[in-house]
Amino acid sequence: MTTGIRATMDVSHEITLLVQEIQRLGSKSADGQTKVKFGILFNDEHCANIFEALVGTLRAAKRRKLINFEGELLLQGVHDNVDIVLLQE
């Protein structure tokens, strides 16, 4: 298997784990979408053990239109109250 294919598979796996963690930590809004604050996700001990690069995984999931959040990059502290919205359950 080439390095590029393995990297794509790893990213896909991390995105799958990310969706599971958003479902675990988030809550359904009135419109039925699951949302979680970036700070909750970032500061969760279980997430810290899973994701080496949480911000990179979030950006990859956003590019694949599985999640949405305001802006391009989320930073701890500054963006703790930004909602991460799960677009596909």
Side-chain angles (χ1 to χ4, degrees):
M1 189 178 331
T2 67
T3 305
I5 294 171
R6 189 174 303 124
T8 301
M9 288 172 50
D10 290 345
V11 170
S12 294
H13 178 68
E14 288 226 345
I15 290 172
T16 299
L17 294 175
L18 176 66
V19 168
Q20 291 171 356
E21 292 306 304
I22 292 171
Q23 290 171 330
R24 179 177 69 88
L25 295 169
S27 57
K28 293 261 189 205
S29 61
D31 60 7
Q33 291 183 308
T34 302
K35 297 180 181 181
V36 65
K37 300 283 185 198
F38 174 67
I40 291 171
L41 197 62
F42 189 90
N43 292 311
D44 182 75
E45 188 175 331
H46 186 68
C47 286
N49 291 331
I50 294 174
F51 303 107
E52 276 187 45
L54 176 61
V55 173
T57 304
L58 286 166
R59 290 184 71 196
K62 185 176 181 179
R63 278 193 301 273
R64 294 182 186 191
K65 300 189 182 339
L66 297 174
I67 65 168
N68 195 22
F69 54 85
E70 279 190 38
E72 284 297 311
L73 183 66
L74 298 174
L75 301 171
Q76 183 194 15
V78 178
H79 298 114
D80 282 355
N81 285 323
V82 172
D83 281 325
I84 298 170
V85 181
L86 193 57
L87 300 177
Q88 299 177 20
E89 294 284 333

